[in-house]
Amino acid sequence: MEYNAFLIKYAEIGIKGKNRYLFEDALMRQIKYALSHVGKFTLTKEQGRIFVEAVNDFDYEDTVEALKRVFGISAICPVVMIDDCSWDSLAANVKEYVSHAYENTHFTFKVMVRRADKSYPKKSPEIAADLGAELLDAFPELKVDVHNPDVYLNVELRTKGYIYSLEISGPGGMPVGTNGKAMLLLSGGIDSPVAGYMISKRGVYLDAVYFHAPPYTSERAKEKVVELARLVSKYSGPIHLHIVNFTDIQMAIYEKCPHDELTIIMRRYMMRIAEYLAEKNGAQALITGESIGQVASQTMHSLVATNEVCNMPVFRPLIGFDKQEIVDISERINTYETSILPYEDCCTIFVAKHPVTKPNVNIIKKSETKLNDVIDELMKKALSSIETIRVEQ
Ligand code: ATP
Ligand code: MG
């Protein structure tokens, strides 16, 4: 006996009235996207649930893994679908289902029946009672509990029969596409892929921007960021990754500005460029992997100084997280191994020995005036040479 369909459950909190179909359509689209690499499936939507049916052979593990990455899904129920719903066949299949799904049958259960096919010779309560009796005969250690059973054994009769009881947890969240688009500042580190994942989980499309500084940062460092974007896109759907050549701007800052302010000034230019790209690409907010106090450039004062150049909201979903908490998520979403590959990123090359930890915005602004002669030209050059690649799972 094999599972040949899945029932997808989703939480309905926050999806009221008119917006509900937007939520459901986005969820259907994201499920199709996630499964497009696994096999051929048909999807049907009905009464607050989605049925996914396999058209051909498929890999069960791969399918479940793919569905576990679709935001908006609260639970995935593997289903055994049967063609012959005559009573004898149904009873036999339900018994086989129980022995297939449960190694240990020491549990309490209740049979739940839905009968969409009203021509079926027995009515729902009778089917439930009779199937219950068949199961008790076949598995003497089973017990019925109609109030608080360990297992709800669901049987649905339509043109086909559907048997299911197991629930695999989904990722929760909102389907991507229900909440606009944001621009993720994606570096090669541990934090920013996690930040992108978390905002995407709330239904937000992602674009990403990476600042690289050849020859100070290598081609491999860039490839690592492309790979991180690909890993995030397994959840978020396709990402347009904008790669900005930041070398000349960084060199100019290095040559003209006080070295203890390098990182802050550099980060302010990153934010300015990211905001420009966001506007140009229809994104309404920025996302960073910053967390208060993690490094000198993320003290409260530094965050204020960095934020000062932005008009858009900047989402910092990791702001209150400890490093270990971020690492735990990155391991769970499978970005950690790639994030810790030892390729330098552009921030580590030009770091000062003693960066300011309490930058004063007015002083920083004054230091930036030292770039006046060159910055417009350098910005223009950086913005006109952006390489954009579409990254997907
Ligand atoms: P991460 O682990 O994400 O690299 P980090 O702890 O190294 O973060 P910083 O280098 O201070 O932190 O960067 C803070 C945030 O700024 C990053 O999380 C990321 O959003 C953004 N950022 C830093 N460097 C780059 C870069 N080269 N390209 C794009 N975004 C960057
Ligand atoms: Mg970094």
Side-chain angles (χ1 to χ4, degrees):
M1 174 165 271
E2 277 176 8
Y3 299 112
N4 38 20
F6 297 88
L7 175 77
I8 305 296
K9 294 185 174 173
Y10 46 92
E12 289 169 50
I13 299 161
I15 13 163
K16 301 176 214 96
K18 279 186 291 183
N19 292 328
R20 186 185 166 119
Y21 80 96
L22 291 175
F23 178 100
E24 289 172 336
D25 290 354
L27 184 55
M28 297 270 280
R29 191 180 56 238
Q30 294 304 108
I31 292 173
K32 277 184 198 150
Y33 172 75
L35 293 181
S36 63
H37 299 256
V38 185
K40 249 191 142 180
F41 298 86
T42 56
L43 270 65
T44 44
K45 178 174 89 173
E46 56 154 82
Q47 297 167 3
R49 330 175 292 168
I50 291 170
F51 270 103
V52 174
E53 290 183 19
V55 176
N56 317 111
D57 283 350
F58 69 106
D59 186 294
Y60 174 79
E61 300 294 336
D62 289 352
T63 307
V64 171
E65 279 313 305
L67 290 169
K68 279 166 90 173
R69 291 193 295 261
V70 178
F71 296 134
I73 293 180
S74 64
I76 303 151
C77 309
V79 177
V80 167
M81 226 165 49
I82 57 171
D83 291 324
D84 179 1
C85 296
S86 63
W87 175 253
D88 287 348
S89 160
L90 180 65
N93 274 293
V94 167
K95 284 184 274 189
E96 199 186 336
Y97 171 88
V98 169
S99 61
H100 174 74
Y102 300 96
E103 247 166 60
N104 176 350
T105 43
H106 285 86
F107 56 77
T108 60
F109 77 104
K110 175 181 182 178
V111 180
M112 308 285 284
V113 176
R114 285 203 207 194
R115 189 181 58 128
D117 173 9
K118 298 292 176 201
S119 67
Y120 200 79
K122 294 187 191 212
K123 290 203 169 120
S124 299
E126 198 187 345
I127 301 171
D130 291 356
L131 284 176
E134 293 266 355
L135 286 170
L136 290 172
D137 267 355
F139 305 94
E141 27 342 313
L142 282 179
K143 283 201 179 71
V144 172
D145 181 346
V146 290
H147 299 295
N148 191 21
D150 299 324
V151 170
Y152 284 98
L153 190 81
N154 296 282
V155 173
E156 299 193 17
L157 296 168
R158 290 182 277 169
T159 26
K160 290 179 181 172
Y162 298 77
I163 308 165
Y164 61 93
S165 62
L166 301 174
E167 279 201 7
I168 301 163
S169 294
M174 304 282 284
V176 172
T178 53
N179 248 319
K181 179 154 95 171
M183 181 67 68
L184 169 66
L185 283 89
L186 182 63
S187 66
I190 295 168
D191 306 329
S192 44
V194 173
Y197 164 88
M198 288 182 67
I199 297 298
S200 170
K201 186 169 178 220
R202 299 309 305 161
V204 178
Y205 276 125
L206 298 182
D207 257 24
V209 52
Y210 167 59
F211 297 90
H212 80 145
Y216 303 101
T217 59
S218 64
E219 197 56 27
R220 285 206 303 180
K222 176 174 133 184
E223 276 158 23
K224 173 180 162 182
V225 174
V226 174
E227 174 60 9
L228 285 171
R230 194 184 70 78
L231 293 170
V232 173
S233 79
K234 288 183 166 212
Y235 299 88
S236 68
I239 294 176
H240 285 96
L241 173 65
H242 309 280
I243 299 168
V244 178
N245 186 327
F246 203 50
T247 311
D248 292 345
I249 294 176
Q250 210 164 356
M251 289 304 287
I253 299 170
Y254 188 70
E255 277 159 21
K256 295 174 189 285
C257 302
H259 282 191
D260 60 347
E261 295 169 8
L262 282 182
T263 311
I264 294 294
I265 296 176
M266 200 176 75
R267 299 211 25 77
R268 282 163 61 93
Y269 277 98
M270 283 185 184
M271 299 303 267
R272 288 179 174 111
I273 293 174
E275 186 167 278
Y276 165 86
L277 281 173
E279 262 165 23
K280 200 172 147 201
N281 292 283
Q284 293 168 287
L286 305 179
I287 306 166
T288 76
E290 290 161 312
S291 152
I292 295 179
Q294 198 187 79
V295 286
S297 60
Q298 296 176 33
T299 63
M300 179 71 84
H301 289 74
S302 300
L303 289 168
V304 169
T306 308
N307 200 69
E308 198 258 341
V309 298
C310 299
N311 294 311
M312 281 184 184
V314 181
F315 298 146
R316 299 177 172 91
L318 310 182
I319 199 71
F321 281 21
D322 295 342
K323 194 71 186 185
Q324 189 57 47
E325 292 172 309
I326 302 169
V327 166
D328 290 347
I329 301 176
S330 78
E331 284 179 333
R332 186 161 54 74
I333 68 173
N334 200 30
T335 53
Y336 183 73
E337 290 301 321
T338 305
S339 287
I340 59 171
L341 293 174
Y343 311 134
E344 74 292 351
D345 80 29
C346 72
C347 304
T348 54
I349 304 262
F350 295 92
V351 281
K353 279 207 186 70
H354 302 289
V356 280
T357 52
K358 289 191 176 180
N360 173 308
V361 175
N362 292 325
I363 296 175
I364 298 285
K365 278 180 167 169
K366 204 159 161 223
S367 301
E368 283 179 351
T369 61
K370 302 202 167 88
L371 298 166
N372 280 353
D373 295 346
V374 291
I375 196 68
D376 287 352
E377 200 51 41
L378 294 179
M379 283 289 256
K380 216 161 111 190
K381 195 170 149 210
L383 295 177
S384 62
S385 63
I386 291 170
E387 178 194 358
T388 298
I389 45 182
R390 185 176 188 273
V391 183
E392 64 178 318
Q393 60 175 342

